Structure formats: structure tokens, C-alpha cells
Amino acid sequence: MTAPKHLEIARSYLGQSEVSGPASNPWIYSMWQGLKDGAWIWKSGGGDDSAVPWCGAFVARCIAEAGLPYAKQWYRA
């Protein structure tokens, strides 16, 4: 059985992680910037990837990369 495309995409990002302190993983930053309404949510956390939960953003990004529509309020994971 083949995994759904969005799950295969998610697995390709294994190893991505937050950066402690005020710095940020560039991949996490780009993920927020690439999602509708993501930029303002990112700014609300001060641009610190350890201050903003990114589980909903991650799922939305994987779904979008699979070519599927993601939830309107994806940030409410």
C-alpha cells in the first residue's frame, strides 16, 4: 500500500527542528511565509521558531505541497 502524497512529503522533512533562543531554522521561517496568513502569525511570536507552535503550519505545508487544499484556519491545530 502506498502512503498518501502529503505523508510522503512530511517524511521527507524528518530532522527539521527548532533553534533554541531568538534564532530560527530558515526552513521553518520559509514554511510560515509560504502559507496564507502565516507571516502575521510568525511575527506574533517575534520571529522565534521556539515561541510559535508550528504543527498546524507543517501539516498545511505538506498538504499544499501535495497539491491539495488545506484548512482555512490551519494555524488552529
Side-chain angles (χ1 to χ4, degrees):
M1 186 163 135
T2 304
K5 188 172 182 176
H6 63 280
L7 182 56
E8 291 175 5
I9 291 167
R11 288 178 178 152
S12 75
Y13 293 120
L14 280 172
Q16 294 293 341
S17 62
E18 299 167 355
V19 175
S20 298
S24 294
N25 176 331
W27 179 84
I28 294 174
Y29 172 78
S30 71
M31 174 179 61
W32 283 99
Q33 300 307 307
L35 295 169
K36 184 177 182 333
D37 298 327
W40 71 265
I41 296 168
W42 176 256
K43 287 178 186 176
S44 74
D48 178 355
D49 62 15
S50 65
V52 181
W54 50 280
C55 51
F58 177 71
V59 172
R61 178 180 176 139
C62 293
I63 291 172
E65 283 188 38
L68 301 168
Y70 54 89
K72 183 177 181 181
Q73 295 184 342
W74 54 267
Y75 45 84
R76 294 180 181 240

